[in-house]
Amino acid sequence: MEKNIPEFTVLPKHIGVIMDGNGRWAKQRNLPRYKGHIEGAKTFRKIGEFAAELGIKCMTFYAFSTENWKRPQEEVDAIMQLFREYLNEAEERKEENREKGICLRFIGDRRGIPEDILALMEHIENESRYETKIILNLAINYGGRHEITQGVKKIAQRVLDGELSPEDINEDTLSDSLYTSGIPDPDLIIRPSGEYRLSNFLTWQSAYSEFWFSDVLWPDFTEDDLCKALQDFEKRNRRFGGI
Ligand code: FPP
């Protein structure tokens, strides 16, 4: 049967998602926290594929922050294992992903990520790089302030090397030095689980983003929840500092 794909008068070009509430989802069910992350990873797959069907061109999912290394080793290992499984699955399903037009990319500091995961990330990125229906960005070992600091260091080096003069530095110079270079800023940032923070996610890029919050925990987040966020987004009056 044909699936009914809802239509919207305006769609965000880029949506950021903070996948929060996995731990609480597990706790509510007396399960270990990693079970919540397993369900959260399933929701990520479901929502990413649905977004492609809706015609959204880019989504960035916050999967692991530069601060998340502070969690118990057992939990960090479980999340890393989920990345491994997802990347292996993406390799197995590469034909299916190609048909769906999914380009997979990763943002974050690649130093510190286990080498086998890094190799898989690079392989998948390379294989899916020509797909154009949707870019799915996974933020792994990502921190917005860290990203800006790294970007500023790159710019400083270009100045030292005589490639760039300080007077020529503008906002685009910084945008281009970030992991998201070439990708439009997120129009919409979604945070489920009843928290109202940005948590160091897309710090520079979110300057004019619309925010959408919900009490639903990420593993329970559905296609309908994404549609609700999009319906609200349609009604927002974005002025970008104008009147
Ligand atoms: C925040 O919820 C979630 C994380 C720090 C990890 C997110 C990871 C995943 C969804 C799995 C990633 C894997 C793939 C393949 C994308 P929390 O644990 O802080 O929840 P809590 O606030 O309820 O404790």
Side-chain angles (χ1 to χ4, degrees):
M1 203 176 77
E2 271 294 292
K3 210 166 156 187
N4 201 5
I5 303 296
E7 286 190 18
F8 299 89
T9 51
V10 288
L11 274 180
K13 289 192 183 67
H14 179 185
I15 304 177
V17 181
I18 302 175
M19 303 191 284
D20 196 15
N22 298 345
R24 275 163 286 166
W25 183 93
K27 195 168 176 216
Q28 283 175 356
R29 290 162 178 77
N30 282 323
L31 294 168
R33 291 177 58 84
Y34 78 88
K35 295 269 189 193
H37 297 314
I38 292 177
E39 291 309 307
K42 288 185 196 160
T43 307
F44 154 74
R45 289 178 180 83
K46 176 179 78 185
I47 296 298
E49 291 188 6
F50 182 60
E53 290 174 12
L54 290 178
I56 290 159
K57 301 308 287 179
C58 180
M59 284 194 90
T60 299
F61 293 86
Y62 204 6
F64 195 84
S65 76
T66 44
E67 289 74 36
N68 285 151
W69 298 106
K70 288 187 269 188
R71 294 191 174 206
Q73 192 59 42
E74 206 185 26
E75 184 172 343
V76 170
D77 290 346
I79 295 175
M80 292 297 148
Q81 185 55 24
L82 281 175
F83 293 149
R84 228 174 244 118
E85 285 166 15
Y86 173 70
L87 293 164
N88 280 314
E89 181 194 293
E91 170 58 16
E92 281 162 25
R93 290 199 193 165
K94 65 180 170 200
E95 284 312 321
E96 196 183 319
N97 281 344
R98 194 164 287 155
E99 274 163 32
K100 290 181 179 156
I102 298 175
C103 170
L104 268 173
R105 291 196 198 161
F106 304 92
I107 63 167
D109 192 340
R110 300 195 176 203
R111 290 168 303 181
I113 294 177
E115 280 202 12
D116 65 313
I117 296 184
L118 200 55
L120 282 167
M121 280 163 51
E122 284 168 359
H123 178 72
I124 303 287
E125 246 175 359
N126 195 35
E127 263 191 343
S128 69
R129 71 187 187 282
Y130 296 120
E131 301 312 323
T132 54
K133 188 150 176 63
I134 191 167
I135 296 174
L136 292 184
N137 271 323
L138 256 187
I140 300 181
N141 198 20
Y142 176 87
R145 288 187 173 186
H146 181 68
E147 176 185 38
I148 296 168
T149 311
Q150 294 300 113
V152 169
K153 280 188 189 167
K154 279 192 239 164
I155 294 169
Q157 190 60 52
R158 286 177 60 203
V159 170
L160 272 180
D161 294 345
E163 281 174 27
L164 183 68
S165 120
E167 299 82 67
D168 293 334
I169 296 174
N170 57 29
E171 292 188 7
D172 289 339
T173 321
L174 194 66
S175 292
D176 291 343
S177 73
L178 304 179
Y179 304 123
T180 47
S181 170
I183 287 176
D185 287 340
D187 308 292
L188 175 66
I189 293 188
I190 294 176
R191 181 161 195 158
S193 96
E195 308 284 355
Y196 304 91
R197 294 186 289 274
L198 195 51
S199 299
N200 209 8
F201 183 53
L202 300 177
T203 310
W204 171 269
Q205 300 88 334
S206 62
Y208 283 102
S209 302
E210 297 290 328
F211 287 86
W212 193 81
F213 299 102
S214 142
D215 288 338
V216 172
L217 303 175
W218 176 247
D220 291 329
F221 197 90
T222 61
E223 288 97 334
D224 274 354
D225 291 312
L226 181 62
C227 288
K228 279 185 208 152
L230 293 171
Q231 276 155 6
D232 276 0
F233 179 81
E234 273 183 322
K235 295 183 209 131
R236 305 271 176 107
N237 175 11
R238 306 185 75 204
R239 292 189 296 279
F240 300 97
I243 52 171

